[in-house]
């Protein structure tokens, strides 16, 4: 066997040719979308193109590998044929230390934005006469906590119908989610006509202005952080408002009944653009203990009565709550995110984006059981590479 060249320039050229060919051949694939992610490294000594490493670790996460060591092991165990498909030299593969350093340096918001826009382009069209809906919600990466330093927090936008995360930004520890609302939604290319749902923290006047400028509609929950608005909503004549929609769910050991009363806002409600007020009453019964509980929730929306039926509004409210089960629960339970010890620099955010990507691609492939989909991808090296758009 001929000796391997020690020159990094030779490695870059050969890898670059392979990557260029791969991207040209698969214009709609993930590698094409990631080709523009800025490389944080100096050019001297670069052995592997950034897009190749990102694609390789994305495949590893699709197969359930999530620590830096595990990512490197997946690449090391990959057969030569699949390594070549990714644009890597089979004789020289990225090490654990190289993968770790690179993922810590990559711009987390830029990476998440490019992944999100690519996933947005893969979404099926909304149903005839329907609107696309996005749920905005935050999550703390508990495993990234380091002593007295709290865990990293990310804010994400999830397309409700598919459970696909199409945007994510890091929430700096010196601030909170509120100023990151607009930068997050800037990652979504088209919000015209869409509905954005958010919890009470984001019931903010400047959020309404931003969404109006983007041509989007909104539904915001109202709680104690908007005490005056909540008092105004509670004072409305709800007893005279008939139930507009009712739904019943049974699962997780409980039965829940939700009723929705919706009224057109007149005088007495001080919130810009609000067209309708919503009162949601939740009745819960524990099927094991028989314990009962009730909860009343208020919300406001700019959607007029002729723009959305009660069943649609109920669906969007329910869809917002579902992000906990469809995304956060999967990342915590299936990917064991809360115990991940990745916590340095941009690593936690980049890995969270990779988990979002993996869940989305498995769902787009028709898999509802993500754990089973991961096991299938782990058994077949070709499957993860095919899922990112390489054939």
């Amino acid at each position: 066997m001929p000796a391997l060249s020690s020159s990094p320039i030779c490695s870059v050229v050969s890898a670059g040719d392979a990557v260029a060919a791969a991207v040209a051949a698969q214009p709609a694939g993930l590698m094409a979308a990631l080709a523009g992610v800025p490389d944080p490294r100096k050019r001297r000594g670069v052995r592997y193109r950034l897009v190749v490493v990102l694609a390789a670790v994305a495949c590893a996460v699709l197969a359930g590998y999530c620590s830096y060591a595990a990512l490197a092991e997946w690449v090391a165990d990959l057969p030569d044929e699949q390594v070549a498909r990714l644009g890597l030299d089979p004789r020289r593969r990225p090490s654990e230390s190289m993968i770790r350093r690179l993922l810590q340096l990559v711009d987390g918001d830029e990476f998440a934005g490019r992944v999100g826009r690519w996933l947005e382009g893969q979404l099926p069209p909304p149903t005839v006469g329907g609107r696309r809906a996005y749920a905005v919600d935050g999550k703390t990466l508990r495993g990234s906590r380091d002593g007295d330093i709290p865990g990293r927090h990310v804010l994400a936008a999830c397309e409700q119908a598919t459970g696909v995360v199409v945007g994510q930004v890091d929430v700096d520890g010196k601030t909170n989610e509120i100023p990151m609302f607009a930068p997050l939604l800037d990652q979504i290319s088209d919000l015209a006509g869409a509905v954005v749902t958010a919890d009470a923290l984001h019931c903010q006047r400047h959020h309404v202005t931003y969404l109006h400028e983007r041509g989007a509609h909104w539904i915001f929950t109202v709680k104690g952080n908007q005490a005056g608005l909540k008092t105004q909503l509670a004072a409305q004549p709800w007893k005279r408002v008939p139930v507009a929609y009712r739904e019943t769910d049974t699962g997780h050991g409980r039965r829940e009944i939700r009723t929705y009363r919706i009224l057109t806002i007149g005088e007495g409600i001080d919130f810009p653009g609000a067209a309708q007020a919503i009162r949601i009453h939740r009745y819960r019964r524990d099927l094991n203990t028989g314990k009962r509980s009730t909860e009343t929730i208020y919300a406001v929306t700019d959607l007029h009565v002729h723009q959305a039926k009660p069943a649609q509004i109920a669906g969007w409210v329910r869809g917002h709550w579902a992000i906990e089960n469809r995304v956060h629960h999967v990342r915590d339970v299936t990917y064991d995110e809360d115990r991940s010890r990745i916590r340095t620099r941009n690593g936690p955010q980049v890995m969270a984006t990779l988990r979002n990507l993996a869940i989305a691609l498995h769902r787009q492939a028709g898999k509802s059981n993500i754990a089973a989909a991961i096991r299938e991808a782990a058994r077949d090296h070709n499957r993860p590479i095919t899922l990112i758009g390489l054939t």
Side-chain angles (χ1 to χ4, degrees):
M1 177 182 294
L4 294 177
S5 169
S6 61
S7 169
I9 301 299
C10 294
S11 297
V12 170
V13 171
S14 59
D17 293 342
V19 174
V23 171
Q26 307 291 337
L30 179 65
M31 292 183 75
L34 297 182
V37 176
D39 194 328
R41 302 166 296 178
K42 295 181 180 179
R43 188 178 185 279
R44 181 177 177 82
V46 171
R47 293 182 182 273
Y48 312 98
R49 290 290 183 94
L50 176 63
V51 64
V52 171
V53 178
L54 293 177
V57 297
C59 290
V61 175
L62 277 161
Y65 294 74
C66 281
S67 70
Y68 293 138
L71 297 176
E73 288 168 1
W74 186 87
V75 176
D77 292 340
L78 201 62
D80 289 354
E81 178 185 352
Q82 282 72 35
V83 171
R85 288 175 63 191
L86 286 169
L88 285 167
D89 184 341
R91 301 169 300 171
R92 194 189 302 274
R93 308 184 187 204
S95 66
E96 183 274 341
S97 60
M98 182 269 169
I99 291 174
R100 170 169 37 85
R101 290 194 300 268
L102 191 53
L103 296 190
Q104 289 173 352
L105 290 173
V106 168
D107 186 318
D109 287 352
E110 178 70 21
F111 176 56
R114 289 184 177 273
V115 168
R117 282 188 289 274
W118 181 66
L119 289 173
E120 182 187 357
Q122 314 299 312
L123 293 174
T127 57
V128 177
R131 300 179 184 272
R132 208 175 285 290
Y134 298 99
V136 172
D137 199 26
K139 185 181 188 300
T140 298
L141 310 176
R142 293 183 178 87
S144 62
R145 180 177 178 178
D146 188 4
D148 295 333
I149 301 174
R152 300 286 287 276
H153 192 84
V154 293
L155 183 65
C158 174
E159 203 272 334
Q160 290 191 7
T162 59
V164 170
V165 174
V166 294
Q168 181 174 273
V169 292
D170 180 57
V171 178
D172 189 286
K174 298 179 182 179
T175 183
N176 58 43
E177 292 182 8
I178 294 175
M180 303 310 299
F181 183 85
L184 167 67
L185 294 179
D186 283 343
Q187 293 182 350
I188 301 177
S189 61
D190 185 13
L191 281 179
V195 177
V196 174
T197 63
D199 60 24
L201 180 64
H202 295 287
C203 187
Q204 306 288 334
R205 295 169 184 266
H206 50 282
H207 288 359
V208 169
T209 301
Y210 170 83
L211 292 172
H212 176 73
E213 292 172 350
R214 294 288 307 272
H217 298 284
W218 46 267
I219 301 174
F220 292 154
T221 303
V222 180
K223 291 185 178 179
N225 64 311
Q226 291 280 358
L229 178 58
K230 184 179 179 182
T231 300
Q232 294 169 5
L233 290 171
Q236 296 300 303
W238 293 108
K239 291 184 178 180
R240 299 201 299 268
V241 178
V243 173
Y245 190 74
R246 176 189 174 101
E247 58 189 2
T248 303
D249 285 331
T250 301
H252 303 288
R254 69 185 183 190
R255 185 169 186 264
E256 182 172 302
I257 300 172
R258 294 182 292 272
T259 60
Y260 296 77
R261 299 175 190 266
I262 305 173
L263 60 79
T264 300
I265 291 178
E267 297 181 356
I269 301 294
D270 181 23
F271 195 75
Q276 294 190 91
I278 308 161
R279 180 181 182 269
I280 308 158
H281 205 71
R282 302 171 77 175
Y283 307 80
R284 296 192 189 95
R285 182 168 67 88
D286 190 298
L287 298 178
N288 298 315
T289 65
K291 183 179 179 180
R292 300 172 186 269
S293 63
T294 63
E295 181 183 17
T296 299
I297 301 168
Y298 296 101
V300 287
T301 179
D302 71 324
L303 289 161
H304 290 269
V305 64
H306 64 276
Q307 292 178 308
K309 297 178 180 178
Q312 290 176 301
I313 291 177
W316 292 322
V317 171
R318 184 174 62 252
H320 181 80
W321 294 333
I323 190 174
E324 291 289 339
N325 292 328
R326 303 195 70 187
V327 179
H328 296 172
H329 181 76
V330 175
R331 278 165 47 181
D332 285 340
V333 175
T334 305
Y335 275 106
D336 206 14
E337 182 175 78
D338 278 351
R339 292 202 298 171
S340 170
R341 303 309 295 163
I342 293 176
R343 56 192 180 191
T344 304
R345 304 188 72 170
N346 297 335
Q349 183 189 2
V350 170
M351 289 305 302
T353 297
L354 287 167
R355 295 183 194 104
N356 289 335
L357 171 64
I359 294 168
L361 291 178
H362 284 311
R363 285 219 171 97
Q364 289 179 349
K367 305 295 184 179
S368 57
N369 186 324
I370 302 301
I374 289 172
R375 292 192 296 270
E376 181 181 353
R379 294 191 302 268
D380 181 0
H381 285 114
N382 284 305
R383 182 163 181 77
I385 299 173
T386 301
L387 286 174
I388 68 168
L390 291 174
T391 58

